[in-house]
Amino acid sequence: SIAEKENMATTAVRKKEVTRDLDHCDIPYYVSEFVEREVGNDYDSLRKLDNLIDKLSENKKQLEEQVLTVSSEVPKKIQNALKNAEDSKMSLSRLLEEETILSGSINSHLLKAQPWMEDLDVLISQVEEIERYLSYLKWISRIEELSDSIQQYLMTNNVPEAASTLAFMAELDIKLQESSCSHLLAFVRSTVKFWHKILKDKLSSDFEEVLTQLRWPFVGPPQSQAFGLAAPASAPDVYNNLEMLFCQLLKLQTSDALLTKPKQFPEKYSLPPSPPIILPIQIMLNPLQKRFKYHFTGNKQTNVLNKPEWYLTQVLMWIGNHTKFLDEKIQPILDKAGSSVNAGLEFSRALVMLILEKLAADIPCLLYDDTLFCHLVDEVLLFERELYSVHGYLSSFPSCMHILSEESCFQRWLTVEKKFALQKMDSMLSSEAAWISQYKDITDVDEMKVPDCAETFMTLLLVITDRYKNLPTASRKLQFLGLQKELVDDFRIRLTQVMKEETRASLGFRYCAILNAVNYIATVLADWADNVFFLQLQQAELEVRAESNAVSKLQLGQLASMESSVFDEMINLLERLKHDMLTRQVDHVFREVKDAAKLYKKERWLSLPSQAEQAVMSLSSTACPMLLTLRDRLLQLEQQLCHSLFKIFWQMLAEKVDIYIYQEIIMANHFNEGGAAQLQFDMSRNLFPLFSHYCKRPENYFKHIKEACIILNLSIGSALLLKDVLQSASENETLKPNQPSATAALNELGVYKLAQKDVEILLNLRASWPSTGK
C-alpha cells in the first residue's frame, strides 16, 4: 500500500509537470494525454503495448502515404497553372503586336483617304442642299396641285371632293408645323385660308338656306313648331340637302380649327380644356347667338343685373326646344360620318359659353351688393341643376361653377353664404315654435322628437351641401366644408347658452328639446360621414394635410383608414354636451329619489313580521314616495326625450338607484327574516317592474340589489353553509390563492356582481342566526 501511494504521488507530480501550451500544437501534452488514457495507473495494461505500437505504426504509415500523395499532386497543379499563365502571356503579346500593326495601317489609310473625304463632304453637302430644294419644290408643287384640284372641282360644282381635298391640304399644313421653312408654312397657310373661305362661305350660305326652309331656329314653344318644314312633301329633299351640306361642313373642321382662334377666358377662371365647337353646329348657333347678344348686352331693357333668370331661362328654353331635332335629325348624320360628337351636348356647350361670358362680365358689377349677388348665385345653381339633371350636361365641360370659383367671386360667395346662414339661425332660434317638433302629432315620424330649430338648421346645412357639391375643385369644396363646421360649432354654442338659462329646470320641456336637438345633429352628422361625397372630401383633406404636415402621422393614419371622419371634432363636442345634459337630468331625478327615500332608509328592518305572519305581502308604505317619484319622472322624460336618449337616461338612473339602495339602505341596516322578505318584495315586485316597460329583464340593471336580496333571503341552512365556505376560502387564501370554491358557490346561488367580502358583510347583516352553543 505504501508503494501504491508513492506511485500515485509520482504520477500526480508528472501530471502537474506536463502543462498545455495553448498557443502552439503541444505534442508532449497530447502524448501525455494519450498515455494517461491508454495506460493510466494500471500497470497490468502494459501488455497492450504491442498492439498499441502496431496500431500507431499503421496510422503513421497511412499518414505518410497521404503526405506523399499530396506532396506529389500539388506541384503538378502548380506547374499546370504556371504553364497556363505563360501561354496567356504569350497570346497577349501576339495580340498587342497585331493591334500595333493594324492601328498603323488604319492611320495610314485615313491619311491617304483624308483628301477624298474632304471632297466627298463637299459633294454630299451639295447633294443634301439640292435634295432640300427639290423637297421644297415638291411641297410647293403638291400644294399647287391640290389647289388646282380644288379649283377644278369647284368649276364642275363638285363641292364634296373640293372639301375633301381641302381637308387633306389642312392635314399637310399640320404636318409642316415642325418645319423651320417659314415662307413655305406661310404659303401653305394662305392657300388653305383662301380656299377655306370660299368653301365655307358657299357651304354656309347653302346650309343657312336649308335651315331657313326648316324654320330654324325653333324659338317658339314646341307645340307651335312645324318641326321642320312648311311643305311636308318636300321634306326628303330638304333633309338630304341638310345631311349633304352638314357632312361637307364637317370636312372643313380641320382647316377651320387651324384658321379660327377660339375665345380664351382669363386663366383665373381655370376652365377645363375643350375642343372648338364643330363648324356646322357653329352655323346653326349663329342666329341664337345674335338673339342672345341683342337682348342681354348693351342698353336693352332685358339686360338688367337683378334679372339673371331671364337669360338663364332663355338658354334652357333654347336647349329644350332644339333637343328633339338635334337627336333625331343631326345625331344620325354625325354617327354616319363616324364622328364621336354628341349633337345635343355640343349645342348645349356652345350656349353655356354665352352664359359664362355674360357671368364674367356681370359679376364684377354686383359683387358687393349682397342681395343681387345672392340672387345671382341662387339662379345660377338652379340653372346648373336643370342643365345637368334634365339635359345631361357633362361635369367635364366648362360650367358656371368655374366662374363662381374665381377667387374674388368665391370668397364673396362664402361671406354671403355665412352671413345669410347666421341670419337664418337667429330667426329660427327666436321663433316661437323653435323648440316644438313639427311632427309632434305623428308618432311614426316623430321618433327623434326633433325641435323645429334643429331640423331647420340641418336642412340649412343640407342645402349648403347641395349648393357647393358641384364645385369643380376639391379645395373649394373643403372651404365650404370648413364653413359648415363653423356653423355647426356656432349653433352648438347657441344651444349651450340657451341650455344654461334652463339649468334650473333641467327636466323642463325646453331643456329636453335642446337635448333632443343636440342628439339629432350629432346623429345626422355621423350619417353624413358615411356619405360618398364626404368620404371623397375626407380623402382630399387627407392629401392636403399630408402635404402641409398639419397633423400627426397617427391622425393621418386614422383619416386614411376611415377610422375618423370630417365631422369627428364636431360630433365629439356635441356628444360631450349631450352627456353633460343627461348627467344633469339624472342627478336632478336622483336627488328627488333620495329625498323621497328618507323614510324608507329609516324602516325598521330588524323588527318586521315574517312572511308567514302576513296574509298577503304588500309594499312598504315608506317606499311609496320613492317609487312614485321614479314612476312620474320616467313617464315625463319618456314623453319628452327621444327613444335613444331616454334609454341612456333610465339606464344611468337605474345604476345610481341600484348603488344608492345597496349602500345607503341595505348595507346600513340589519335584517330579520321579515325585513329581508319585505325588502325583496319591494324591489322585485315594485321597483323592478317600473323599468319593465323599457327592457325585458330590468333586474339585470339592479344587480347589487338583486344579489343582496338573494343573500339576505337564504334559508338558515344555506346561509350557514355559504358562511363556512367563505370562511374556509378566506383562511386558505394564503395557501391556495386561486381557490375556486367561494366563487363557484356564489355563482351557484346567482351571485356574480358582489365580491366575496361584500357577501360576508351581508351575511353578518342577517339577525336570525341559530345559537351555536359557543
Side-chain angles (χ1 to χ4, degrees):
S1 102
I2 296 172
E4 287 178 359
K5 289 180 181 179
E6 289 177 355
N7 290 334
M8 290 174 64
T10 305
T11 304
V13 171
R14 287 175 181 172
K15 281 187 179 178
K16 291 180 182 178
E17 289 176 355
V18 181
T19 57
R20 184 178 181 182
D21 187 355
L22 297 176
D23 297 330
H24 300 88
C25 182
D26 197 351
I27 292 176
Y29 173 79
Y30 288 112
V31 171
S32 174
E33 286 290 318
F34 179 77
V35 172
E36 182 68 25
R37 184 173 64 253
E38 296 294 336
V39 178
N41 297 327
D42 185 7
Y43 296 108
D44 292 336
S45 61
L46 292 176
R47 299 171 187 170
K48 302 177 183 178
L49 284 178
D50 292 339
N51 294 332
L52 190 59
I53 292 171
D54 292 339
K55 184 178 178 181
L56 290 175
S57 299
E58 184 67 26
N59 289 340
K60 177 184 177 186
K61 183 179 179 181
Q62 291 177 358
L63 290 172
E64 286 176 348
E65 289 177 355
Q66 290 177 6
V67 170
L68 289 173
T69 301
V70 172
S71 62
S72 61
E73 287 180 355
V74 169
K76 290 179 181 180
K77 292 181 180 179
I78 294 173
Q79 287 176 0
N80 291 334
L82 289 173
K83 188 176 183 303
N84 291 335
E86 290 292 335
D87 292 343
S88 300
K89 184 177 179 182
M90 291 176 65
S91 299
L92 180 60
S93 299
R94 287 197 299 269
L95 286 173
L96 289 173
E97 290 174 0
E98 292 175 3
E99 187 272 337
T100 303
I101 296 170
L102 183 59
S103 176
S105 62
I106 290 172
N107 290 331
S108 174
H109 179 74
L110 288 175
L111 287 173
K112 291 178 181 179
Q114 184 64 32
W116 301 345
M117 292 295 295
E118 292 174 358
D119 295 340
L120 282 174
D121 282 343
V122 174
L123 291 174
I124 290 171
S125 299
Q126 292 173 353
V127 170
E128 289 176 348
E129 186 176 3
I130 293 170
E131 285 180 345
R132 285 198 299 271
Y133 291 150
L134 182 61
S135 177
Y136 196 94
L137 292 172
K138 283 181 179 179
W139 274 103
I140 293 174
S141 175
R142 181 63 175 148
I143 299 302
E144 287 179 344
E145 287 176 6
L146 293 173
S147 181
D148 292 342
S149 298
I150 294 173
Q151 185 176 9
Q152 291 175 8
Y153 288 137
L154 289 177
M155 289 175 66
T156 58
N157 206 25
N158 191 351
V159 179
E161 287 298 328
S164 299
T165 307
L166 178 60
F168 182 70
M169 188 186 296
E171 292 174 1
L172 294 180
D173 187 335
I174 295 173
K175 290 179 180 179
L176 281 171
Q177 291 305 308
E178 296 180 0
S179 173
S180 59
C181 301
S182 57
H183 296 293
L184 178 61
L185 292 175
F187 170 69
V188 176
R189 182 60 57 85
S190 62
T191 307
V192 171
K193 184 176 182 180
F194 174 79
W195 289 118
H196 176 78
K197 185 178 185 310
I198 293 173
L199 284 172
K200 183 179 179 181
D201 290 345
K202 177 175 177 53
L203 291 173
S204 298
S205 176
D206 295 344
F207 191 58
E208 288 171 355
E209 185 177 343
V210 172
L211 291 175
T212 303
Q213 292 175 357
L214 294 170
R215 296 186 179 179
W216 178 275
F218 311 132
V219 293
Q223 299 86 347
S224 65
Q225 296 174 12
F227 199 67
L229 304 165
S234 61
D237 293 338
V238 176
Y239 282 122
N240 288 336
N241 290 336
L242 176 72
E243 180 177 351
M244 178 184 66
L245 292 169
F246 196 96
C247 290
Q248 291 171 11
L249 284 168
L250 272 181
K251 293 178 181 178
L252 300 185
Q253 185 63 38
T254 305
S255 55
D256 192 69
L258 283 175
L259 301 171
T260 307
K261 290 185 177 180
K263 288 184 179 179
Q264 294 291 334
F265 273 78
E267 292 184 2
K268 64 180 181 178
Y269 294 114
S270 302
L271 292 184
S274 57
I277 306 298
I278 59 173
L279 185 56
I281 298 291
Q282 287 183 34
I283 297 169
M284 296 173 74
L285 283 162
N286 282 337
L288 294 176
Q289 290 173 338
K290 289 178 182 178
R291 286 172 181 266
F292 188 90
K293 291 179 180 178
Y294 176 82
H295 288 292
F296 304 117
T297 58
N299 297 323
K300 301 296 184 295
Q301 293 181 348
T302 48
N303 181 34
V304 285
L305 291 175
N306 62 345
K307 295 293 182 181
E309 61 269 28
W310 286 356
Y311 62 83
L312 294 170
T313 305
Q314 183 64 74
V315 167
L316 289 174
M317 286 177 59
W318 285 344
I319 293 173
N321 291 344
H322 296 89
T323 298
K324 185 176 180 182
F325 179 80
L326 292 169
D327 290 344
E328 294 184 0
K329 302 301 180 184
I330 303 301
Q331 191 60 48
I333 300 173
L334 287 166
D335 295 340
K336 189 175 179 180
S339 173
S340 60
V341 174
N342 181 290
L345 289 177
E346 193 78 351
F347 186 79
S348 301
R349 183 163 68 93
L351 289 177
V352 167
M353 294 305 292
L354 293 175
I355 298 288
L356 302 190
E357 292 176 16
K358 177 67 175 168
L359 287 175
D362 284 359
I363 285 177
C365 302
L366 48 79
L367 198 58
Y368 297 101
D369 188 319
D370 288 351
T371 304
L372 290 181
F373 181 78
C374 193
H375 178 62
L376 173 70
V377 172
D378 289 340
E379 292 298 330
V380 166
L381 292 172
L382 289 173
F383 169 80
E384 289 262 309
R385 187 175 303 164
E386 184 170 348
L387 187 65
Y388 283 101
S389 61
V390 177
H391 302 294
Y393 198 72
L394 299 181
S395 58
S396 58
F397 288 170
S399 70
C400 301
M401 301 305 284
H402 289 93
I403 304 299
L404 295 182
S405 294
E406 188 269 327
E407 183 63 28
S408 59
C409 178
F410 183 78
Q411 293 303 326
R412 188 62 187 163
W413 183 11
L414 272 179
T415 303
V416 171
E417 201 78 47
K418 183 176 181 179
K419 174 185 175 183
F420 282 98
L422 293 175
Q423 289 177 359
K424 183 69 175 176
M425 287 163 59
D426 290 337
S427 64
M428 70 176 72
L429 286 171
S430 59
S431 169
E432 293 181 0
W435 306 108
I436 301 173
S437 171
Q438 296 180 7
Y439 315 104
K440 61 180 181 179
D441 299 325
I442 310 174
T443 307
D444 295 339
V445 180
D446 196 33
E447 290 182 359
M448 297 286 286
K449 293 183 170 58
V450 187
D452 183 61
C453 63
E455 187 168 6
T456 307
F457 175 71
M458 295 312 292
T459 304
L460 171 66
L461 288 186
L462 186 62
V463 169
I464 291 176
T465 303
D466 288 337
R467 289 161 72 84
Y468 79 82
K469 68 180 179 182
N470 289 323
L471 282 168
T473 61
S475 60
R476 295 303 192 199
K477 293 176 185 177
L478 286 174
Q479 287 180 268
F480 256 105
L481 179 63
L483 170 62
Q484 287 180 305
K485 290 180 179 180
E486 285 183 36
L487 294 176
V488 172
D489 199 47
D490 187 274
F491 195 72
R492 179 188 61 82
I493 293 171
R494 292 172 188 238
L495 290 178
T496 305
Q497 292 171 344
V498 180
M499 179 269 293
K500 289 180 179 178
E501 296 172 1
E502 302 292 327
T503 302
R504 292 184 179 179
S506 59
L507 304 182
F509 168 75
R510 179 174 287 193
Y511 191 93
C512 291
I514 296 169
L515 184 51
N516 287 329
V518 171
N519 179 66
Y520 174 70
I521 295 170
T523 303
V524 173
L525 290 179
D527 290 340
W528 285 2
D530 295 329
N531 185 280
V532 173
F533 175 73
F534 289 108
L535 290 175
Q536 291 171 343
L537 283 188
Q538 180 174 343
Q539 180 63 31
E541 187 176 35
L542 170 66
E543 294 172 0
V544 171
R545 291 188 178 189
E547 291 176 2
S548 61
N549 295 322
V551 294
S552 66
K553 291 183 178 179
L554 175 60
Q555 291 172 309
L556 285 176
Q558 290 174 341
L559 282 171
S561 62
M562 301 301 174
E563 291 179 11
S564 62
S565 71
V566 289
F567 295 113
D568 264 11
E569 186 177 351
M570 299 295 102
I571 294 173
N572 291 337
L573 291 172
L574 290 166
E575 289 291 338
R576 189 183 306 168
L577 176 59
K578 180 178 81 173
H579 181 266
D580 292 345
M581 294 180 71
L582 275 172
T583 303
R584 190 173 285 111
Q585 286 187 322
V586 171
D587 290 344
H588 183 98
V589 174
F590 183 61
R591 283 196 299 271
E592 292 183 347
V593 171
K594 286 197 298 183
D595 290 341
K598 288 180 180 177
L599 292 176
Y600 194 59
K601 284 178 64 177
K602 298 177 181 178
E603 186 69 61
R604 301 179 64 185
W605 303 103
L606 197 56
S607 59
L608 290 177
S610 66
Q611 190 171 1
E613 298 174 4
Q614 302 182 55
V616 179
M617 290 286 289
S618 61
L619 174 67
S620 300
S621 59
T622 53
C624 289
M626 176 183 72
L627 295 177
L628 285 172
T629 302
L630 269 174
R631 184 201 66 179
D632 293 343
R633 290 312 187 190
L634 287 171
L635 289 174
Q636 175 188 350
L637 290 170
E638 184 182 16
Q639 292 176 352
Q640 293 183 349
L641 294 179
C642 70
H643 176 73
S644 60
L645 286 175
F646 179 69
K647 182 178 180 181
I648 299 172
F649 168 82
W650 74 255
Q651 289 179 357
M652 291 173 65
L653 180 62
E655 182 181 359
K656 294 180 78 71
V657 170
D658 178 43
I659 294 174
Y660 172 74
I661 292 177
Y662 173 70
Q663 292 180 345
E664 302 294 329
I665 296 178
I666 298 176
M667 299 295 280
N669 289 283
H670 285 75
F671 297 83
N672 66 357
E673 183 182 347
Q678 185 64 49
L679 176 69
Q680 185 171 30
F681 180 82
D682 293 344
M683 297 295 105
S684 61
R685 299 292 297 277
N686 293 279
L687 174 64
F688 298 167
L690 282 179
F691 294 84
S692 62
H693 299 289
Y694 319 124
C695 63
K696 291 183 179 180
R697 302 189 66 181
E699 63 274 12
N700 288 338
Y701 294 91
F702 297 90
K703 290 182 178 178
H704 290 90
I705 296 176
K706 182 182 75 170
E707 294 180 2
C709 287
I710 292 173
I711 300 300
L712 293 175
N713 286 277
L714 284 175
S715 63
I716 294 296
S718 299
L720 286 170
L721 181 60
L722 178 63
K723 196 170 187 180
D724 290 341
V725 170
L726 296 179
Q727 186 175 358
S728 61
S730 299
E731 291 172 355
N732 295 332
E733 186 175 2
T734 54
L735 300 175
K736 299 179 181 180
N738 299 323
Q739 178 64 259
S741 58
T743 303
L746 292 174
N747 292 348
E748 188 176 348
L749 294 171
V751 177
Y752 299 92
K753 182 76 173 179
L754 297 179
Q756 179 181 333
K757 292 182 179 179
D758 294 332
V759 174
E760 291 175 352
I761 294 172
L762 286 168
L763 288 171
N764 290 329
L765 295 178
R766 292 170 60 107
S768 54
W769 290 103
S771 176
T772 59
K774 294 182 181 179

